[in-house]
Amino acid sequence: MNSAHTWVNPLRDATDIRLPRIAGPSGMVIFGVTGDLAYKKLLPAIYDLANRGLLPAGFTLVGFGRREWDKQQFGDYVKQAVRDGARTKFDHNVWTHLAEGIEFVTGNFDDSGFDTLAARLAELDAARGTGSNWAYYLSVPPDYFATICHQMQRVGMSHSAENSWRRVIIEKPFGHDQESARELNEIVNAVFPESAVFRIDHYLGKETVQNILALRFANQIFEPMWNANYIDHVQITMAEDIGLGGRAGYYDGIGAARDVIQNHLLQLLALVAMEEPSSFDPAALQAEKIKVLQSTKPAYPLNKSTARGQYSAGWQGSEYVKGLREEDGFDPESTTETYAACTLLVNSRRWAGVPFYLRTGKRLGRRVTEIALVFKHAPYQPFDDGQLESLGQNAVVIRVQPDEGVTMRFGSKVPGSTMEVRDVNMDFAYAEAFTEESPEAYERLILDALLDESSLFPTNAEVELSWAILDPIIEYWAGAGQPEEYPAGTWGPTSADKMLRRRGHSWRRP
Ligand code: BG6
């Protein structure tokens, strides 16, 4: 008989998170499968999951669209996407096995194509053992959500029979303001229960973003300082060096704030600012994020606490690149911003008076996403004049990408016979500390959706609250004329620098 010490609870063992989590019998239908996102991210991620052995044997991938493709032609398209975008090495056996379950159904979103699709899914259930478990990935603009959801309802695709499931995975943009997001939520929730809706925010699938939870709640050194007593301000930066070439159709009229602040940056803010959840159970985690989003408001007046810009032609490294207005497909009169910054306040005991500065832009100096918690100066510093001249403010910087890791910045004595203190960095780099490679965000999120693990998906309440934070800013900009220009390759408009200077701060140069 096992002693109390060696007895292993088989149930616990089966759910041990260190074991690979493998999806059960299931399939996925992708709407918008010929789009950019599917080509670059979704199809490669599905292959990577297959290659890592995390998909069930009969996994079936169905593309639905207008093209007159047969199985072979669609298979060739997927194979090319995998060849171009997969993270893991191409393995002929894995591909051959996956390709057996790749199908294409031709149809429009508003015709009898859905009857054909539903019938095909039923046949596939019988032939491939998918168990009537289907995830529907809507990689299409939100204008199509209503039609697709209604069609799925009409042909019975949304209905899960006993012991099977039907889920919908939705890409952003989820609305363009709070009201439209609410309408979309009503449309989707009229067909799928909230528990079957997985809204993608791919930043939550990034390892470094999940590490915010580990850093804060697995350690004792950070949390005691993680509040307004010690932290002066927080800077959340998502800078990109790419321009909008080719994406004008999507981006014109949307802009930087709707494109990434409403979702990615506010999710980062929520994870950094929230209270400790009682567990990482989806409901517990989401409840804490909701609380913090409810307490978050723009600082006023908006003309002083926000900034926006549009890139003009300039040197991006060694390349001279076009300005926004010269990009193909962009209206030269467009007021769409490619740079957005705002000052937000989190009205809670923990964060009272601490500005959270958020900024994002295209065609900036380099690609970098980071969260910097900048500390107040020590209340008393027993040094002489000049000794602290090279000392800035202490900081903890979560480097989301690239060069993933965490930096701590603090002052250290410069070697020598005088007392001079200068900023130094202490770095943790994922690439050096771990041999495991991080999965792509989409691998993680697609697997989670198949496993019904919803912690990393924002709820409808989070989406609507994020719009509520942003709506007054976007409304103010709508009446404020043209955004300021900034040359490509720089760090954005001068108004963004002024926004911080007013409060005695300055942006980090990441
Ligand atoms: C998307 C935005 O959500 O995120 C794009 O729509 C942006 O405009 C992209 O380029 C950046 O993602 P990542 O993972 O490369 O930082």
Side-chain angles (χ1 to χ4, degrees), residues 172 202-203 206 238 240 247 259 264 362 367 401:
K172 73 179 193 52
H202 80 278
Y203 265 60
K206 293 184 190 270
M238 176 185 167
E240 293 186 281
R247 277 185 90 211
D259 185 36
H264 309 327
K362 303 278 184 197
R367 174 174 182 255
Q401 66 185 27

Side-chain angles (χ1 to χ4, degrees), residues 329-344:
F330 236 90
D331 173 3
E333 301 296 306
S334 169
T335 56
T336 300
E337 81 284 352
T338 56
Y339 178 102
C342 56
T343 312
L344 303 178

